[in-house]
Amino acid sequence: MPRTDLQTAILRTIQQGATYGYQIHRALGDAGLDIRLNHLYPALKRMEKEGLVTSTETPGERGPMRHECAVTAKGREYLDDVLLDAIAMVRLAYLEYLASDRTTMQRALDLLAKYIPRAKLHGRTALVVPPGYLSEINFRWFLFQLFDVVQGDIFLVRPGGTFEIEEPRLTLLDGGESYVPLRDNYVDQAVLVWIPRPRRWFRPIEEAYRVIRSPGLLAIILPDALLARDATRPFEVGAFIEGVRVRRTGGRVSEVPLEKAVAFLEERFQHVEVESVPELSFHLLVAWGKKRPTET
């Protein structure tokens, strides 16, 4: 049995009430795990050394002293990580087969359709997507869907600078969510898949605000995994685990309170709407009516 699997089994057994060697050995055997006592005791010693369990000498019921084991805070964290990994496997399978990137983008497009009257469809549109967040096939599909809606030029800040496509109305740009290589007040609307980074989580919004001309419209797709939340609450675990997919973008990510993001937008736009899509674990933030710097 792999060492990590044995550690997990022992920790679970202790947590369920088996506290000393023979009890743990018997409980493991009842669970179908055949391990010899001369292998179990060294494993317990190693786990104690690693801070996963503690051992206290107590009088035996009949005869010699025995060592009572307990799971430490570090041991509980270890078990939590194992649980989250297991949930992640199920969650990622769900996202892969039932709610693919394409499904997410279709849902976002459906929601965006409500705000089309606010957009300047014959104007310029900027599209900013972090590297690794969308598969190339689904991203091409999303672009062609966008071409059907937007009649003007589209400027794509391409993921990782590797995306190539031939389309007369599309201009590919090397940049990122924190650096959009366009002049101030250059586009009429922008679509941003937002992955907040530590310390300067607001930077992508600032960049999008900078390149949008008044009145302008900004649509932000924000994965729920990056909204500040208590990940131990069962009904929120799915969104938290969606962060596994978000980490494909590379680099560190940061959580941000939704109300803080909305307040940041309200300082820069006259109108802000928030659409929640819990079944696909993302929020859509739409802002329009860009304020002049003197108004912010």
Side-chain angles (χ1 to χ4, degrees), residues 194-205:
W194 182 31
I195 305 297
R197 307 296 180 183
R199 288 189 289 274
R200 302 202 68 189
W201 58 267
F202 51 84
R203 179 62 180 157
I205 299 179

Side-chain angles (χ1 to χ4, degrees), residues 219-288:
I220 300 172
I221 299 171
L222 174 61
D224 283 357
L226 301 180
L227 291 175
R229 58 183 64 246
D230 179 2
T232 64
R233 299 177 65 180
F235 63 87
E236 294 179 340
V237 165
F240 176 78
I241 292 301
E242 215 257 316
V244 175
R245 181 175 72 153
V246 172
R247 292 188 183 93
R248 289 189 300 170
T249 61
R252 298 175 60 197
V253 297
S254 176
E255 291 185 350
V256 59
L258 181 60
E259 60 272 17
K260 192 173 182 179
V262 171
F264 192 84
L265 286 168
E266 288 175 339
E267 291 176 359
R268 290 156 177 80
F269 293 89
Q270 295 174 7
H271 308 280
V272 178
E273 294 286 342
V274 178
E275 303 274 3
S276 175
V277 190
E279 67 273 20
L280 292 178
S281 298
F282 77 87
H283 275 68
L284 179 68
L285 285 64
V286 182
W288 67 94

